[in-house]
Amino acid sequence: MKRLDLIFSERELDAIIKTLEKANVPGYTVMKHATGRGPERVVTEDMEFTGLGANAHVIVFCEQELIDKMRDNIRDDLSYYGGVAYISEATPL
Amino acid sequence: MKRLDLIFSERELDAIIKTLEKANVPGYTVMKHATGRGPERVVTEDMEFTGLGANAHVIVFCEQELIDKMRDNIRDDLSYYGGVAYISEATPL
Amino acid sequence: MKRLDLIFSERELDAIIKTLEKANVPGYTVMKHATGRGPERVVTEDMEFTGLGANAHVIVFCEQELIDKMRDNIRDDLSYYGGVAYISEATPL
Amino acid sequence: MEINPILQNVLAPPVLFFLIGAISVLFKSDLEIPAPLPKLFSLYLLLAIGFKGGIEIQKSGFTDQVLPTLSAAILMSLLIPLIGFLILRFKFDVFNSAAIAAAYGSISAVTFISAESFLESQKIAFDGFMVGALALMESPAIIVGLLLVKFAAPKNRPKSRKMHLSAILHESFLNGSVYLLLSSLIVGFLTASSNPSGIAKMEPFTGQLFYGAECFFLLDMGIVAAQRLPRLKNAGSFLIGFAIFMPLFNAFIGVFVARFLSLGPGNALLFVVLCASASYLAVPAAMRMTVPEAKSSYYISTTLGLTFPFNIVLGIPIYMSLVNTIIPLSPS
Amino acid sequence: MEINPILQNVLAPPVLFFLIGAISVLFKSDLEIPAPLPKLFSLYLLLAIGFKGGIEIQKSGFTDQVLPTLSAAILMSLLIPLIGFLILRFKFDVFNSAAIAAAYGSISAVTFISAESFLESQKIAFDGFMVGALALMESPAIIVGLLLVKFAAPKNRPKSRKMHLSAILHESFLNGSVYLLLSSLIVGFLTASSNPSGIAKMEPFTGQLFYGAECFFLLDMGIVAAQRLPRLKNAGSFLIGFAIFMPLFNAFIGVFVARFLSLGPGNALLFVVLCASASYLAVPAAMRMTVPEAKSSYYISTTLGLTFPFNIVLGIPIYMSLVNTIIPLSPS
Amino acid sequence: MEINPILQNVLAPPVLFFLIGAISVLFKSDLEIPAPLPKLFSLYLLLAIGFKGGIEIQKSGFTDQVLPTLSAAILMSLLIPLIGFLILRFKFDVFNSAAIAAAYGSISAVTFISAESFLESQKIAFDGFMVGALALMESPAIIVGLLLVKFAAPKNRPKSRKMHLSAILHESFLNGSVYLLLSSLIVGFLTASSNPSGIAKMEPFTGQLFYGAECFFLLDMGIVAAQRLPRLKNAGSFLIGFAIFMPLFNAFIGVFVARFLSLGPGNALLFVVLCASASYLAVPAAMRMTVPEAKSSYYISTTLGLTFPFNIVLGIPIYMSLVNTIIPLSPS
Ligand SMILES: Nc1ncnc2c1ncn2[C@@H]1O[C@H](COP(=O)(O)O)[C@@H](O)[C@H]1O
Ligand SMILES: Nc1ncnc2c1ncn2[C@@H]1O[C@H](COP(=O)(O)O)[C@@H](O)[C@H]1O
Ligand SMILES: Nc1ncnc2c1ncn2[C@@H]1O[C@H](COP(=O)(O)O)[C@@H](O)[C@H]1O
Ligand code: NA
Ligand code: NA
Ligand code: NA
């Protein structure tokens, strides 16, 4: 089993969730209000009221095949607006 | 060292924490207001005001033995209301 | 690639971010309002209004060398006020 | 039924803000009221409704009408879930039928205050003790729902959740929103009895601010309801029909009960609205915990996505004309 | 220019709270207004400004002055971004120039209400329909900014984001803050037309509470602005100069347009402030989504870290004396 | 001591809402006021207390009584932590003793405003400058606590945190809640001096809304206090006794100081309440950062779980009868 961590602007959330749903992932978890800094852009929470929004952190536990299936779409989603995606190993309890 | 990720309905938090405390985990971290979708149920943040609540994401760094000790209790806690639990490797800094 | 998880009191956030920036990490993500229990101290969210604050959870995806570079500084930051730091494996999508 | 009262209802700020919220979803605006701000307004409204209701009950005292009306209210909240259950069992299993039925037996506080606003704008009098009916109709429906599950559910339910009476009562009366409404009502009552100067000091918060806070909350409710609506497609046409038919049916029973109780037109409308409205706060929260077998999307999407908007926008003026038709103008 | 009005402006609670917020950052106090509380106040202010503006417009009706003023406002919000763009292109690429220019063409609602508070404290009359100008100046600047990107951007922009007119209009009118302001304005207008009793019931929320909520929000704005200021160092002195010079320049054009329109001193100040203020809500949110090539730290740090404080603290009294100098005291 | 004032105190809305919150925990209701909403009310109360206090100080001017009273207040906040420290050292190490003692030397703003509400309901006059005493008693206790740590702590404290005077002053005056209270007081003072019309415009926010917001915040405080109470079991009976005895002891000293100062009964009660109350905002936040060796559960659970409820429910009327007994009815 794999764990996929996606971190990106909250406003891309709908697009990412659509990608996940299309791939039929067994589930996902969304944590909003994350802030941070990437190689290019800065998002600070204190600016959230502006509607600039913060980041969302999405966690997906799923099989490697599903990740392979989604790879291109997710990269597409993230390539334009930024954001990161990492995979790690995970074993169900 | 292991890392245990638990994601489940916030209203089960007390039960899960009791399980963790009983097993004498060295510590744990709780992040509330997580939302997401599982194989059966949908939780959306925009509904939080209803008291339906969102999910909690609990992270525990501990030894494998502790996890083995807690496995049955956690599975019990999660089996009825849903929620997921995954283990991965982690090394202290 | 590695994933570094730091969990510590929100009020140490500035110090930790300074440490990260000095090491030139490619980016980081901050999630505030985390609560939890460590070996010694208790932080409960219901106390957040007191200014005691909650914990911050910082995630950094970066190379092992960077982590080695930061290790002493981070340990220093965490040694006094508490907090935990764990490393795990991660592969970019 | 005239068109005028409907239009007049729609053109009141609370309903307009509800529509604005709903339209923002339709047009894919990124307008958002982030959590936990809606919870702030939801807690505030319950506290203010309860507090003001407690004051009114203390002021009006227990007149002749109070006891019969409150008893009838409780009766309706026991009866409606039973009828709803029988109807829903044609299509759904015991768990879903009981959960949905309980929601329709219970009430929606925001629908109630929308009806009060409507009456005020129409200059029709009503009594403060009706908030007592509101408060008393929340719990019985939950109890009936849980008892239905307890007795009608298949025998092989997992042991861990075989419900005890104590658990049922706990969910019914100590649910956060029920508890806050009931206890604020007691605070209001005690304040009015023993500390009348406290009323004036609370008035700007619980009184003057109320209408605006209601608008703000309805703006969010509009967003939420419109986000919920599409999910009803999966629920099927039976449930969609139920979400419109059941309130009308309950209103119909309610108006005859109100006539039997000789309620004036204001109280009668509130009584009918309590019967017709469905819970999206207390009941779903209780059901999610105690009947996880039921799909929350069923009982939330119907009450919040369809029944609530229907009542707010069209229902209240329809019920008003129903009241005016069925209940002869009493001299009260 | 006298020093007195500046001091008087600074000594008003909203400006004082803004300074308190800024000083807390300077002194490294850990004062913090955690998210999403600032969003609550930001949504509230937009709703209240829109609602009250809608009422005023309905009340004042479409007098002779309304149409010319609103047209001039729209014109200014089309013109300013074009001028800004030409200036900025000396130093920045198309993306950054367009994004920054759009921010300066649009408006800041909080600057506007600060100007209203200033006028009230000076007992200078102004008209409610100026809120209409506020509402109308948000979208055109966004449209111009996006059109500039569409036509001036290098041809090798990634396909996925080749902007269609529909996307441009969507970002311009359905952006959360634009949508809330515009729709609250409509709600206010409809309420005033058809349900005047609703105005009185909203008054405690949208009226009486407003000044205090403004103070609370400005406390947070002070914190945010002071946190932003240091980031301007990276932006370079050209941009820092632009952030002060551009508002003054726009004010200068604005005051002559106001003279041409024969606006009274109150309306004239508001018109000038609309020209001089820059957006840190709607435009940045829209630009971040549609022009990700532009650095958000450029268009936010300038508008929020420099232009906004400058306008709030010094700009408004300066523009007032400008108005008094350029516009001969009309009998209106 | 009569029972009537206690009952009358308990039957006021703020205390009732506090009890409702506490009872909800006892009965395991899931009533919750999610973060950061309590912070909103906490910030609001500090801002409003400070602002109104500043106005009152400006209005009343520096009368004969002001300087002696404020000096005595500061003195008490220096003295109480020293006494507390000596008592606590019987059982606790330097770090815990200093941190707990500092909390009891400082004040609780919500206890103070509860005493004000009590006086208003009893129609006993008091002066606005007492808010100045409130503001001035926060920092000295923190300073004493940190100095105690600096000089009494074992010499092998980690180097990194050897406290410098500048760090001590920073924690004492720039702590978020201290800073907001002090600076709002200055804003209130400046507004009253130079911009009196600003007072009326703030009044609905800082004045009329205050009582209701206090109730809402106390509802949350009731929840938090009741959640804290069980943790006191681990703290042992010495600390539990200290949490009740120390306020009474401080009240006792305070009432004689008040008599010496010839304060009227209203001001005397407020002075006594300041002495008797303990901080759960500024001091714990400062101690957590600067004295991490102290267990936060000690200094928070005592102040919040025991001393605060004791003062709110029983203490205030007890102190009132103490004042009435010790201080001869002065003609003021
Ligand atoms: N190396 C990293 N480690 C952790 N989070 C990151 C990293 N790089 C970027 N992020 C997160 O991804 C968001 C978007 O980054 P960017 O793609 O630079 O806009 C940032 O705001 C961070 O929250
Ligand atoms: N495969 C998954 N990956 C990540 N989160 C999940 C996954 N499955 C379920 N969850 C989370 O666990 C919660 C409960 O799921 P469920 O057990 O279906 O009720 C969901 O709301 C998600 O937040
Ligand atoms: N073993 C652990 N697993 C997960 N989180 C932990 C663990 N130990 C400590 N923490 C987190 O780190 C914070 C600080 O812990 P401490 O160092 O004990 O003050 C706690 O509040 C927890 O959120
Ligand atoms: Na009903
Ligand atoms: Na402008
Ligand atoms: Na004290």
Side-chain angles (χ1 to χ4, degrees):
Chain A
M1 218 49 176
K2 302 286 173 185
R3 169 200 173 114
L4 176 62
D5 282 283
L6 305 169
I7 305 174
F8 51 84
S9 163
E10 271 185 18
R11 288 188 61 172
E12 286 299 284
L13 190 53
D14 283 348
I16 293 279
I17 285 182
K18 215 173 277 172
T19 300
L20 297 179
E21 294 284 5
K22 228 173 48 196
N24 261 319
V25 295
Y28 52 83
T29 295
V30 179
M31 274 166 300
K32 291 173 128 192
H33 310 297
T35 57
R37 189 181 69 65
E40 290 154 60
R41 288 177 207 95
V42 184
V43 181
T44 12
E45 186 182 2
D46 53 58
M47 293 298 299
E48 250 188 292
F49 72 89
T50 58
L52 271 188
N55 292 335
H57 177 191
V58 171
I59 303 173
V60 188
F61 294 105
C62 65
E63 300 295 345
Q64 178 70 48
E65 301 93 86
L66 270 177
I67 294 183
D68 295 336
K69 230 172 85 184
M70 298 185 289
R71 180 172 281 115
D72 290 343
N73 285 333
I74 293 180
R75 277 191 186 154
D76 244 36
D77 287 340
L78 299 185
S79 68
Y80 198 71
Y81 287 118
V84 293
Y86 284 90
I87 308 167
S88 39
E89 292 294 325
T91 329
L93 180 80
Chain B
M1 218 51 174
K2 300 288 172 180
R3 168 200 174 115
L4 175 63
D5 282 283
L6 305 169
I7 305 173
F8 51 85
S9 164
E10 271 186 18
R11 289 189 61 171
E12 286 300 284
L13 190 54
D14 283 347
I16 292 278
I17 285 182
K18 214 172 277 172
T19 300
L20 297 179
E21 293 285 4
K22 228 172 50 196
N24 262 319
V25 295
Y28 53 83
T29 296
V30 179
M31 274 167 299
K32 291 172 128 193
H33 310 297
T35 56
R37 190 181 68 67
E40 289 154 61
R41 288 175 207 92
V42 183
V43 182
T44 13
E45 188 182 2
D46 53 58
M47 292 298 298
E48 250 188 293
F49 73 88
T50 60
L52 272 188
N55 293 335
H57 178 192
V58 171
I59 304 173
V60 188
F61 293 106
C62 66
E63 299 295 345
Q64 178 70 48
E65 301 94 84
L66 271 178
I67 294 183
D68 295 336
K69 229 171 85 184
M70 297 186 290
R71 179 170 283 115
D72 290 345
N73 285 332
I74 293 180
R75 277 192 187 155
D76 246 35
D77 288 339
L78 299 185
S79 68
Y80 199 69
Y81 287 117
V84 292
Y86 284 89
I87 309 168
S88 39
E89 293 294 324
T91 328
L93 181 79
Chain C
M1 217 51 174
K2 300 286 172 182
R3 169 200 174 114
L4 176 62
D5 281 284
L6 306 169
I7 305 174
F8 50 85
S9 163
E10 271 186 18
R11 291 189 57 173
E12 287 299 285
L13 189 54
D14 283 348
I16 292 278
I17 285 182
K18 216 173 276 171
T19 300
L20 297 179
E21 293 284 3
K22 229 173 50 197
N24 262 320
V25 295
Y28 52 83
T29 295
V30 179
M31 272 166 300
K32 291 171 128 193
H33 309 297
T35 57
R37 190 182 66 67
E40 290 154 60
R41 287 176 209 93
V42 184
V43 181
T44 12
E45 187 184 1
D46 52 60
M47 293 297 298
E48 250 188 294
F49 72 89
T50 61
L52 273 186
N55 292 334
H57 178 193
V58 171
I59 303 173
V60 188
F61 293 105
C62 64
E63 298 295 344
Q64 178 70 47
E65 301 93 85
L66 270 177
I67 294 183
D68 295 336
K69 230 172 85 183
M70 299 186 289
R71 180 172 282 116
D72 291 343
N73 285 333
I74 292 180
R75 276 192 188 155
D76 245 36
D77 288 340
L78 298 186
S79 70
Y80 198 70
Y81 287 117
V84 293
Y86 284 90
I87 308 168
S88 39
E89 292 294 326
T91 327
L93 181 79
Chain D
M1 196 189 73
E2 320 120 75
I3 189 69
N4 215 24
I6 291 188
L7 199 71
Q8 216 173 332
N9 181 52
V10 167
L11 285 174
V15 180
L16 286 172
F17 278 109
F18 179 83
L19 294 175
I20 278 181
I23 292 168
S24 82
V25 175
L26 202 75
F27 283 172
K28 299 210 164 89
S29 165
D30 65 340
L31 180 63
E32 193 202 353
I33 300 179
L37 301 180
K39 180 94 183 186
L40 172 65
F41 288 96
S42 154
L43 290 170
Y44 164 79
L45 292 178
L46 290 171
L47 188 152
I49 295 169
F51 185 78
K52 292 190 293 181
I55 294 172
E56 293 298 329
I57 292 175
Q58 199 276 339
K59 273 189 191 161
S60 68
F62 288 94
T63 63
D64 281 8
Q65 267 201 346
V66 177
L67 218 68
T69 308
L70 297 188
S71 310
I74 295 179
L75 220 76
M76 289 301 288
S77 69
L78 294 169
L79 187 71
I80 291 172
L82 291 174
I83 301 173
F85 183 75
L86 292 177
I87 298 173
L88 289 158
R89 281 294 278 129
F90 281 104
K91 276 278 182 178
F92 295 100
D93 63 13
V94 168
F95 300 113
N96 281 298
S97 301
I100 303 172
Y104 281 83
S106 183
I107 52 81
S108 146
V110 177
T111 310
F112 181 81
I113 59 179
S114 300
E116 286 192 335
S117 298
F118 177 77
L119 289 173
E120 282 168 9
S121 75
Q122 305 274 319
K123 306 210 165 48
I124 301 174
F126 57 91
D127 286 312
F129 70 76
M130 289 307 292
V131 174
L134 170 81
L136 290 173
M137 286 179 80
E138 292 220 276
S139 307
I142 299 177
I143 295 177
V144 172
L146 295 183
L147 287 177
L148 283 171
V149 169
K150 189 177 165 74
F151 292 116
K155 293 296 161 257
N156 56 352
R157 251 201 133 194
K159 234 188 199 141
S160 57
R161 295 290 155 175
K162 288 257 163 75
M163 268 175 287
H164 296 286
L165 192 66
S166 71
I168 291 180
L169 292 176
H170 188 275
E171 282 299 330
S172 308
F173 290 104
L174 292 170
N175 177 291
S177 32
V178 175
Y179 177 81
L180 183 57
L181 182 68
L182 282 175
S183 57
S184 301
L185 197 132
I186 295 171
V187 171
F189 190 91
L190 290 175
T191 304
S193 321
S194 65
N195 192 351
S197 77
I199 298 178
K201 288 169 81 179
M202 286 295 274
E203 164 63 14
F205 187 72
T206 50
Q208 295 177 25
L209 223 59
F210 192 80
Y211 197 70
E214 183 190 342
C215 288
F216 209 105
F217 187 62
L218 278 168
L219 175 64
D220 184 63
M221 294 289 289
I223 298 175
V224 174
Q227 285 171 337
R228 280 277 145 181
L229 204 54
R231 301 208 194 143
L232 274 177
K233 264 184 283 178
N234 311 333
S237 55
F238 181 82
L239 202 52
I240 295 176
F242 182 86
I244 300 295
F245 160 77
M246 194 67 193
L248 287 170
F249 176 76
N250 294 340
F252 210 71
I253 309 187
V255 76
F256 280 101
V257 176
R259 185 194 161 124
F260 176 77
L261 294 165
S262 324
L263 297 181
N267 290 352
L269 179 74
L270 294 180
F271 189 86
V272 167
V273 162
L274 288 175
C275 296
S277 72
S279 167
Y280 48 82
L281 287 181
V283 177
M287 291 302 144
R288 176 144 200 256
M289 279 300 105
T290 46
V291 193
E293 295 94 338
K295 279 204 183 184
S296 67
S297 67
Y298 284 175
Y299 50 82
I300 295 178
S301 301
T302 43
T303 54
L304 202 53
L306 215 46
T307 303
F308 177 73
F310 172 75
N311 277 331
I312 292 285
V313 179
L314 300 176
I316 292 171
I318 293 178
Y319 306 147
M320 190 73 245
S321 73
L322 200 65
V323 164
N324 288 333
T325 313
I326 307 283
I327 302 190
L329 214 70
S330 62
S332 94
Chain E
M1 196 189 75
E2 323 120 74
I3 189 70
N4 215 23
I6 289 188
L7 200 70
Q8 216 173 331
N9 181 50
V10 168
L11 286 173
V15 181
L16 287 171
F17 278 109
F18 180 83
L19 294 175
I20 278 183
I23 293 168
S24 82
V25 175
L26 204 75
F27 283 171
K28 299 210 164 89
S29 165
D30 65 338
L31 181 63
E32 194 202 352
I33 301 179
L37 301 180
K39 180 95 184 185
L40 171 66
F41 288 96
S42 154
L43 290 170
Y44 164 78
L45 291 177
L46 291 171
L47 187 152
I49 295 169
F51 185 78
K52 291 189 294 182
I55 294 172
E56 293 299 329
I57 292 176
Q58 199 276 339
K59 273 190 193 161
S60 67
F62 288 94
T63 64
D64 281 7
Q65 267 201 346
V66 176
L67 218 68
T69 309
L70 298 188
S71 311
I74 294 179
L75 219 76
M76 289 301 287
S77 69
L78 294 170
L79 187 71
I80 291 172
L82 291 174
I83 301 173
F85 184 74
L86 292 178
I87 299 173
L88 289 158
R89 281 295 278 130
F90 281 103
K91 277 279 182 177
F92 294 100
D93 64 12
V94 168
F95 299 113
N96 281 297
S97 301
I100 303 173
Y104 281 83
S106 183
I107 51 82
S108 146
V110 177
T111 310
F112 181 81
I113 60 180
S114 300
E116 287 192 334
S117 298
F118 177 77
L119 288 174
E120 282 168 9
S121 75
Q122 305 274 320
K123 307 210 165 45
I124 301 174
F126 56 91
D127 286 312
F129 70 75
M130 289 305 293
V131 174
L134 169 82
L136 291 175
M137 286 179 80
E138 292 220 275
S139 307
I142 300 177
I143 295 177
V144 172
L146 296 183
L147 288 177
L148 283 170
V149 170
K150 189 176 167 75
F151 293 115
K155 293 294 160 262
N156 57 352
R157 252 201 131 192
K159 231 186 200 143
S160 58
R161 296 288 156 173
K162 289 255 165 77
M163 266 175 289
H164 296 287
L165 192 66
S166 71
I168 292 179
L169 291 176
H170 188 274
E171 283 300 330
S172 308
F173 291 103
L174 291 170
N175 177 292
S177 30
V178 175
Y179 177 81
L180 183 57
L181 182 68
L182 283 175
S183 57
S184 301
L185 199 131
I186 296 170
V187 171
F189 189 90
L190 290 176
T191 304
S193 322
S194 65
N195 192 352
S197 77
I199 298 178
K201 289 169 81 179
M202 285 295 273
E203 164 64 14
F205 187 73
T206 50
Q208 296 178 24
L209 222 59
F210 192 82
Y211 197 70
E214 183 190 342
C215 288
F216 208 106
F217 188 60
L218 278 168
L219 176 64
D220 185 63
M221 295 288 289
I223 297 174
V224 174
Q227 285 171 339
R228 281 276 146 182
L229 203 55
R231 302 209 191 142
L232 274 176
K233 266 184 283 178
N234 311 332
S237 55
F238 180 83
L239 202 52
I240 294 176
F242 181 87
I244 300 295
F245 160 77
M246 195 67 193
L248 286 170
F249 176 77
N250 294 339
F252 209 71
I253 311 185
V255 76
F256 280 101
V257 176
R259 184 194 162 122
F260 175 79
L261 294 165
S262 326
L263 296 181
N267 290 352
L269 178 74
L270 294 180
F271 189 86
V272 168
V273 162
L274 287 176
C275 296
S277 72
S279 166
Y280 48 81
L281 287 182
V283 177
M287 290 302 144
R288 176 141 203 259
M289 278 301 102
T290 46
V291 194
E293 295 94 338
K295 279 204 184 184
S296 66
S297 67
Y298 284 173
Y299 50 82
I300 295 178
S301 301
T302 44
T303 53
L304 202 52
L306 217 45
T307 304
F308 177 73
F310 172 75
N311 278 332
I312 291 285
V313 179
L314 301 176
I316 291 171
I318 293 179
Y319 306 148
M320 190 73 245
S321 74
L322 199 66
V323 164
N324 288 332
T325 313
I326 306 285
I327 303 190
L329 214 70
S330 61
S332 92
Chain F
M1 195 190 74
E2 321 119 74
I3 188 70
N4 215 25
I6 289 188
L7 200 69
Q8 217 173 331
N9 182 50
V10 168
L11 286 174
V15 182
L16 286 172
F17 277 109
F18 179 83
L19 293 175
I20 278 182
I23 292 169
S24 83
V25 175
L26 203 76
F27 283 171
K28 300 209 164 88
S29 165
D30 65 338
L31 180 64
E32 194 202 353
I33 300 178
L37 300 180
K39 180 96 183 184
L40 171 66
F41 288 97
S42 155
L43 291 169
Y44 164 78
L45 291 177
L46 291 170
L47 188 153
I49 294 169
F51 185 77
K52 291 189 294 181
I55 293 172
E56 293 298 329
I57 292 175
Q58 200 276 341
K59 274 190 192 160
S60 68
F62 288 94
T63 65
D64 282 7
Q65 267 201 347
V66 176
L67 218 67
T69 307
L70 297 189
S71 312
I74 295 179
L75 220 76
M76 288 301 288
S77 70
L78 294 168
L79 187 72
I80 291 172
L82 291 174
I83 301 173
F85 183 74
L86 292 177
I87 298 174
L88 289 159
R89 281 293 278 128
F90 280 104
K91 277 279 181 175
F92 294 101
D93 64 12
V94 168
F95 300 113
N96 281 298
S97 301
I100 303 172
Y104 282 83
S106 182
I107 51 81
S108 146
V110 176
T111 310
F112 181 82
I113 58 179
S114 300
E116 288 193 335
S117 299
F118 177 77
L119 289 173
E120 282 168 9
S121 75
Q122 304 274 318
K123 306 209 165 46
I124 302 174
F126 57 90
D127 285 314
F129 69 77
M130 291 304 294
V131 174
L134 169 82
L136 291 174
M137 287 180 80
E138 291 219 276
S139 307
I142 300 176
I143 296 176
V144 172
L146 295 183
L147 288 177
L148 283 170
V149 169
K150 188 177 167 75
F151 293 115
K155 294 294 159 264
N156 56 353
R157 252 202 133 193
K159 232 186 200 143
S160 58
R161 295 290 154 171
K162 287 257 164 75
M163 267 174 288
H164 296 287
L165 193 65
S166 71
I168 291 180
L169 292 175
H170 188 274
E171 282 300 330
S172 308
F173 291 103
L174 291 170
N175 177 291
S177 31
V178 176
Y179 176 82
L180 183 57
L181 182 68
L182 282 174
S183 58
S184 301
L185 198 132
I186 296 171
V187 171
F189 189 90
L190 290 175
T191 304
S193 321
S194 66
N195 191 351
S197 77
I199 298 178
K201 288 168 81 179
M202 286 295 273
E203 164 63 12
F205 187 72
T206 51
Q208 295 177 24
L209 222 59
F210 193 80
Y211 197 70
E214 183 191 342
C215 288
F216 208 105
F217 188 60
L218 278 168
L219 176 65
D220 185 63
M221 294 290 287
I223 297 174
V224 174
Q227 284 170 338
R228 280 276 146 183
L229 204 54
R231 301 207 193 145
L232 274 176
K233 264 184 284 179
N234 311 333
S237 56
F238 181 83
L239 202 53
I240 294 177
F242 181 87
I244 300 294
F245 161 78
M246 196 67 192
L248 286 170
F249 176 77
N250 294 340
F252 210 70
I253 310 185
V255 76
F256 281 101
V257 176
R259 185 194 161 123
F260 176 79
L261 294 166
S262 325
L263 297 180
N267 290 352
L269 179 74
L270 294 180
F271 189 84
V272 169
V273 162
L274 288 175
C275 296
S277 72
S279 166
Y280 48 82
L281 287 182
V283 178
M287 292 301 143
R288 175 141 203 258
M289 279 301 104
T290 47
V291 193
E293 295 94 339
K295 277 203 184 182
S296 67
S297 67
Y298 284 175
Y299 50 82
I300 295 178
S301 301
T302 44
T303 54
L304 201 53
L306 216 45
T307 304
F308 177 73
F310 172 75
N311 277 331
I312 291 285
V313 179
L314 301 175
I316 291 171
I318 293 179
Y319 306 148
M320 190 73 245
S321 74
L322 200 66
V323 165
N324 288 333
T325 313
I326 307 285
I327 303 189
L329 213 71
S330 61
S332 93

